[in-house]
Amino acid sequence: MNIILIGFMGSGKTTIAKRLAKKLICNYLDMDDLILKKSKRSNINQIFALDGELKFRELEISVAKKLSKTDNLIISTGGGVVMNRIIIDYLKSSGMIVFLESSFENIKKRLKFDDSRPLFKNPKIAQELFELRQPLYQQYSDLTIKTDQKSLREITNIIIEEKIKHEN
Ligand code: S3P
């Protein structure tokens, strides 16, 4: 069973995924890294600027399809996976989906000096996207964790406990 982390940009998916992989002694994969490899571009901004968002989403679908055949991985996803039902279906078929729910205020603070995200250039537009996606993250997840008041350790432990329940 894979553990798949979903949530908005800057919600801590990569950090938690790496920590979980270390604790559970299993491999960690980041969907954006796999998309980047497939794209032959040097960063995500370039894919959006030169190939367009649609191309990015196509690559995202093909990566999700490949991942649906894997097992025992910790997967951190891009914040937009919930915009395509087919991606979520592929991911769900391989494991447990965990939504890391963070407030927009915290996300904004975290991404203040980060310009690697093409869809977070304008905080107002990003906030609209955030509000649009919240119900989708809720709908597709097996577990939701409100992360604002929790330490990395607490979040990791909650996921591990849920994994054990899920497997039994
Ligand atoms: C996106 C989130 C990004 C990346 C791409 C699109 C989105 O991943 O996949 O820029 O649509 O929310 P992170 O959530 O890791 O920032």
Side-chain angles (χ1 to χ4, degrees):
M1 186 185 87
N2 290 333
I3 297 177
I4 302 122
L5 302 182
I6 66 170
F8 203 65
M9 294 172 259
S11 58
K13 291 164 289 183
T14 306
T15 310
I16 300 288
K18 284 183 180 162
R19 234 187 130 98
L20 266 177
K22 215 168 163 191
K23 266 205 134 167
L24 292 170
I25 317 176
C26 55
N27 288 319
Y28 145 77
L29 281 180
D30 182 288
M31 284 185 70
D32 279 351
D33 289 346
L34 301 176
I35 292 168
L36 205 52
K37 269 192 205 134
K38 267 181 171 279
S39 76
K40 306 201 169 57
R41 302 288 184 194
S42 47
N43 58 55
I44 302 284
N45 274 323
Q46 258 194 17
I47 307 179
F48 272 67
L50 302 175
D51 307 315
E53 179 170 352
L54 200 58
K55 177 67 189 173
F56 177 85
R57 299 298 172 199
E58 277 170 23
L59 293 170
E60 203 170 37
I61 292 172
S62 73
V63 164
K65 186 174 184 184
K66 274 219 166 117
L67 290 174
S68 70
K69 299 179 192 97
T70 61
D71 193 16
N72 234 354
L73 293 174
I74 312 296
I75 299 171
S76 71
T77 62
V81 290
V82 288
M83 302 307 282
N84 260 316
R85 183 62 205 245
I86 189 164
I87 297 183
I88 284 292
D89 286 345
Y90 279 135
L91 295 173
K92 224 175 168 75
S93 71
S94 80
M96 178 177 95
I97 302 208
V98 179
F99 170 29
L100 299 180
E101 184 179 11
S102 183
S103 65
F104 190 72
E105 283 315 303
N106 270 351
I107 286 174
K108 214 163 64 178
K109 272 187 224 148
R110 266 188 229 126
L111 299 186
K112 203 168 178 184
F113 301 107
D114 186 328
D115 61 0
S116 66
R117 290 167 169 90
L119 298 180
F120 211 98
K121 302 283 184 216
N122 174 333
K124 231 183 128 113
I125 295 176
Q127 184 160 9
E128 282 171 18
L129 206 54
F130 175 87
E131 276 155 22
L132 174 84
R133 289 178 182 174
Q134 289 313 290
L136 300 175
Y137 295 129
Q138 287 286 0
Q139 182 186 339
Y140 295 135
S141 57
D142 298 299
L143 168 70
T144 296
I145 305 176
K146 287 189 191 295
T147 58
D148 281 351
Q149 316 295 335
K150 293 189 181 71
S151 66
L152 290 177
R153 189 159 163 221
E154 282 174 299
I155 299 167
T156 318
N157 286 342
I158 294 172
I159 299 174
I160 293 173
E161 274 170 32
E162 191 67 21
K163 175 184 193 282
I164 295 167
K165 274 194 223 153
H166 215 85
E167 282 168 336
N168 291 327

